[in-house]
Amino acid sequence: MVFAKKGLVILTIQARIPSLKPPKCDKFTTCEEVSGGKAATLFVGLYVVALGIGGIKGSLAAHGGEQFDETTPNGRKQRSTFFNYFVFCLACGALIAVTFVVFVAASLNSCFGRNSVNVVVRPSNAVVSPSNPHSGRKEIEEETEQAIIETEKPTHTLKFLNNAVAYEPIHSSLECTVEQVEDVKIVLKVLPIFASTIILNCCLAQLNTFSVEQAATMNTKLGSLKVPPASLPIFPVVFIIILAPIYDHIIIPYARKATKSEMGISHLQRIGIGLVLSIIAMAVAAIVEVKRKNVAANSGLLDDATKQLPITFFWIAFQFLFLGSADLFTLAGLLEFLFSEAPIKMRSLATSLSWASLAIGYYLSSVIVSIVNATTGRSNHRPWLSGANINHYHLERFYWLMCVLSGLNFLQYLFWAIKYKYRGNGNNN
């Protein structure tokens, strides 16, 4: 938390001192790139904030989940509710970011006559703590010690790792216990599931970026109020806030009765539902972009992206409906899956994989855009995703490409999910 505060101080200083600010933009598409000390100050501030928030996010979910008694069905149900509302609170924090913060920034820009800046906001961290913990740390540690005592022989899963126990190690520092080998097996087993969520986060990055540009060309008025395009992520945030209680209090109780199982919907099933919803989100995004460009063509504004199109930005809400639902299902499901499957000593590390998936997905999105532009820009053809006029982009083709990649990703996820065997007594099935 201290690092996050220091990073915000650095960013505040840069925003305050004129000599550290970038040059003003003539237009949104013709901004001068910063370099040298200005860029260094910006990135130092951002990375210090990221370092601080990363430490918080990596431990919050695991800390909260450990407050429940996982040895009882009721405790496991309440733990599932916690992870669901953990994501709910992330969305509540993001709602403040994309409404209050963005509107304040827009007001300041208006008051001081500065150019508007589009800011893409991703749901940030929030805290929710159970009010009635059922089990203390001591009981969990005693249970762990008992499990270690009962583990005398390596399992038959990933047999090649058993050599670390069966044979004399080259050096004493490489000597492993049965428990350590089994812990490594568990981590290796969850990695394919973790990797399968990266493409979904890549889709999140694309929609949270290009959708803002799309909305900037559309009618963003809500009655007499003009909504800043940067507030567009409010749609998935609101959908998460609405859907989370419905899922926990209506869908899950019904699923438990229908399946006659403790969880109703298993962790892997929940992640799979989210991946399917992300496929639908990209398909809907492609269809909406076709409609937007048709309106631009019919209005004679295809070559002029500076004029507002006679189409409401609420069309973008359809793709965010599925996007927000996908985020809720996959993120909450992945957090609980990693927490419940990981060794107790590695739970914070395991749940941190959820945020690693987010980071990798956003980096991968930049790589995919670069590859697409490099590939489609050959032979004097215009790249799909570059230029000053978004109406000349082939954004719909790019969305279909992401839809196909998401579909292929889902197929490989099914392969790993079907093969996966839960730990314990099958409480997640």
Side-chain angles (χ1 to χ4, degrees):
M1 191 67 183
V2 174
F3 281 105
K5 291 179 179 178
K6 290 181 178 178
L8 290 174
V9 169
I10 295 174
L11 294 176
T12 303
I13 292 173
Q14 183 180 43
R16 180 66 180 172
I17 300 177
S19 61
L20 293 177
K21 295 179 183 178
K24 290 183 178 181
C25 302
D26 295 331
K27 292 182 180 179
F28 178 72
T29 55
T30 57
C31 295
E32 182 180 340
E33 184 177 353
V34 297
S35 59
K38 296 178 181 179
T41 304
L42 172 65
F43 285 113
V44 167
L46 290 175
Y47 283 122
V48 171
V49 170
L51 181 62
I53 294 178
I56 297 172
K57 281 191 171 182
S59 58
L60 271 181
H63 174 71
E66 287 179 346
Q67 307 308 307
F68 300 93
D69 185 1
E70 57 186 293
T71 63
T72 65
N74 188 53
R76 290 190 291 270
K77 290 178 182 178
Q78 291 184 334
R79 185 182 66 189
S80 182
T81 296
F82 162 76
F83 283 107
N84 194 53
Y85 275 96
F86 181 83
V87 177
F88 171 86
C89 287
L90 293 179
C92 289
L95 180 63
I96 297 174
V98 298
T99 53
F100 177 75
V101 174
V102 171
F103 275 102
V104 168
S107 300
L108 291 175
N109 284 332
S110 176
C111 292
F112 293 100
R114 293 175 183 169
N115 295 332
S116 298
V117 177
N118 280 343
V119 180
V120 179
V121 184
R122 172 73 182 159
S124 184
N125 57 300
V127 184
V128 57
S129 299
S131 59
N132 185 25
H134 293 274
S135 178
R137 168 71 65 176
K138 184 176 180 181
E139 294 178 3
I140 296 178
E141 290 178 350
E142 290 176 352
E143 179 190 351
T144 306
E145 291 173 0
Q146 181 62 30
I148 293 172
I149 293 173
E150 293 174 354
T151 305
E152 297 179 352
K153 295 181 180 181
T155 60
H156 294 292
T157 305
L158 300 173
K159 292 182 180 180
F160 69 93
L161 291 175
N162 295 344
N163 294 337
V165 177
Y167 299 105
E168 187 73 22
I170 300 175
H171 192 271
S172 58
S173 62
L174 300 176
E175 186 176 357
C176 299
T177 64
V178 174
E179 178 203 2
Q180 291 171 331
V181 171
E182 293 304 308
D183 286 350
V184 170
K185 289 181 180 180
I186 292 169
V187 173
L188 291 179
K189 283 172 59 182
V190 303
L191 286 181
I193 305 298
F194 146 77
S196 299
T197 63
I198 293 175
I199 287 294
L200 180 143
N201 287 310
C202 185
C203 294
L204 290 172
Q206 302 299 351
L207 288 183
N208 279 336
T209 303
F210 288 116
S211 293
V212 173
E213 293 187 51
Q214 290 172 281
T217 68
M218 304 167 78
N219 182 4
T220 59
K221 287 186 177 180
L222 187 60
S224 59
L225 178 66
K226 186 175 178 62
V227 180
S231 289
L232 195 64
I234 192 176
F235 288 122
V237 167
V238 169
F239 290 139
I240 290 175
I241 291 174
I242 294 174
L243 184 60
I246 294 176
Y247 176 84
D248 198 71
H249 298 290
I250 298 177
I251 297 177
I252 284 299
Y254 175 79
R256 284 170 179 158
K257 291 180 180 179
T259 61
K260 296 180 180 180
S261 63
E262 179 183 301
M263 299 301 297
I265 300 176
S266 70
H267 305 149
L268 292 179
Q269 288 172 342
R270 187 170 184 179
I271 295 172
I273 291 172
L275 296 181
V276 170
L277 289 172
S278 71
I279 299 172
I280 299 174
M282 299 312 299
V284 171
I287 295 172
V288 170
E289 174 61 5
V290 170
K291 179 176 179 60
R292 191 193 68 82
K293 290 179 72 173
N294 286 338
V295 171
N298 295 333
S299 303
L301 298 175
L302 199 60
D303 296 326
D304 189 356
T306 62
K307 294 182 180 179
Q308 187 181 88
L309 299 178
I311 179 175
T312 177
F313 78 124
F314 276 105
W315 280 98
I316 304 293
F318 287 107
Q319 60 208 51
F320 277 125
L321 168 63
F322 294 101
L323 177 70
S325 302
D327 200 16
L328 173 65
F329 274 92
T330 299
L331 179 56
L334 184 62
L335 280 170
E336 189 174 1
F337 168 75
L338 294 171
F339 177 88
S340 60
E341 293 298 295
I344 290 181
K345 296 179 180 179
M346 301 178 67
R347 280 177 170 171
S348 292
L349 176 63
T351 54
S352 295
L353 289 176
S354 299
W355 315 120
S357 173
L358 175 65
I360 296 172
Y362 271 62
Y363 277 115
L364 180 61
S365 70
S366 299
V367 174
I368 292 177
V369 169
S370 298
I371 293 175
V372 167
N373 281 334
T375 303
T376 58
R378 294 176 179 175
S379 303
N380 296 322
H381 291 293
R382 178 181 294 165
W384 283 4
L385 305 172
S386 72
N389 189 345
I390 191 175
N391 295 333
H392 293 162
Y393 287 13
H394 292 293
L395 195 54
E396 71 286 353
R397 298 180 187 177
F398 178 69
Y399 283 154
W400 283 123
L401 173 63
M402 294 303 300
C403 183
V404 171
L405 291 178
S406 298
L408 295 175
N409 176 68
F410 176 71
L411 293 178
Q412 68 90 25
Y413 169 79
L414 282 180
F415 171 79
W416 296 109
I418 292 172
K419 288 185 61 176
Y420 192 88
K421 300 298 182 183
Y422 286 104
R423 294 180 65 194
N425 300 318
N427 295 318
N428 299 318
N429 296 322

